[in-house]
Amino acid sequence: MNQAVLILIKPDGLKKSLTGNILTRLSETKLEIVAAKIARVSRALAEEHYKHLKDKPFFGEIIQYLQGELHDRKKVLALVYWGKDAIKKCRDLAGATNPEEAEPTTIRGSYGRITTTGVYENVIHVSSNEDEAKREIKLWFQPDEIIVDLYPQKEVTRKECKVKIWD
Ligand code: UDP
Ligand code: MG
């Protein structure tokens, strides 16, 4: 079954110059990249992304982590991969959430670490099921940033909308 999955290369992945390695590993899946961008992560975006974890003791730290406050990299690389069994393929390659428990050959097993305060810095986010992927992709991307039609969309006319253009 064809699926879409949101991948984030988190700020530690960017700071450790792992972008190329991670994309190479993901290319083993033969999935198609249908959207990609470098994104600034506001507190509101980070909190919405991890809202299902808001009662966890580590919530505050993972919000700081995703925003890049621990790594002097206030951005993430966001991608949408598309194709057969995309979620399982990408999660298998990513490995377990806890980088110490992840198989050493996986992305998290190879490059992740646990900080002294106990946060799992695991270099990559991968949606864990189709509902989560849909929610996350709609959170991180607008319809015209994705080159396939993944979800129902509509056209609206916006009046007096301020946008930046090249000077
Ligand atoms: N996390 C953590 N400690 C935990 C569980 C999660 O630091 O005990 C962090 C970790 O960076 C993880 C993120 O919170 O990637 C989101 O947690 P989730 O359970 O959704 O794991 P994932 O889907 O990323 O494998
Ligand atoms: Mg998750």
Side-chain angles (χ1 to χ4, degrees):
M1 184 185 29
N2 281 337
Q3 294 174 324
V5 59
L6 179 81
I7 303 279
L8 301 176
I9 299 185
K10 297 183 185 180
D12 53 327
L14 296 179
K15 185 160 187 173
K16 292 174 173 173
S17 291
L18 292 172
T19 304
N21 303 47
I22 292 170
L23 295 183
T24 300
R25 296 298 307 279
L26 290 169
S27 71
E28 291 167 22
T29 62
K30 310 281 189 260
L31 297 167
E32 196 182 334
I33 297 173
V34 295
K37 67 178 175 189
I38 283 281
R40 284 196 196 97
V41 188
S42 66
R43 172 163 286 268
L45 177 56
E47 286 183 351
E48 186 63 24
H49 178 80
Y50 279 139
K51 71 175 182 191
H52 57 295
L53 299 172
K54 70 172 185 305
D55 296 331
K56 302 282 184 191
F58 53 82
F59 182 69
E61 281 179 290
I62 61 172
I63 296 308
Q64 280 190 310
Y65 169 30
L66 195 63
Q67 284 192 267
E69 287 176 7
L70 311 178
H71 297 95
D72 183 33
R73 292 287 187 287
K74 298 205 181 267
K75 59 196 169 187
V76 298
L77 180 60
L79 304 115
V80 179
Y81 281 77
W82 163 254
K84 190 167 180 303
D85 299 328
I87 295 173
K88 180 171 178 3
K89 283 178 180 161
C90 292
R91 287 214 47 116
D92 284 352
L93 267 184
T97 306
N98 179 340
E100 295 296 327
E101 287 173 1
E103 290 292 325
T105 52
T106 60
I107 295 168
R108 288 167 164 180
S110 303
Y111 305 122
R113 68 166 196 145
I114 303 180
T115 66
T116 47
T117 59
V119 180
Y120 301 164
E121 284 186 5
N122 51 14
V123 303
I124 185 174
H125 168 82
V126 184
S127 316
S128 58
N129 57 56
E130 279 193 31
D131 285 345
E132 188 176 286
K134 179 177 173 181
R135 186 183 81 79
E136 292 176 352
I137 290 167
K138 289 167 119 177
L139 179 64
W140 287 87
F141 289 95
Q142 294 304 316
D144 63 7
E145 295 178 309
I146 305 176
I147 60 150
V148 289
D149 291 340
L150 292 180
Y151 311 116
Q153 45 187 271
K154 60 185 175 191
E155 283 188 337
V156 295
T157 305
R158 287 216 169 114
K159 286 186 188 144
E160 293 181 34
C161 177
K162 217 185 242 182
V163 294
K164 284 185 185 157
I165 59 168
W166 300 119
D167 198 1

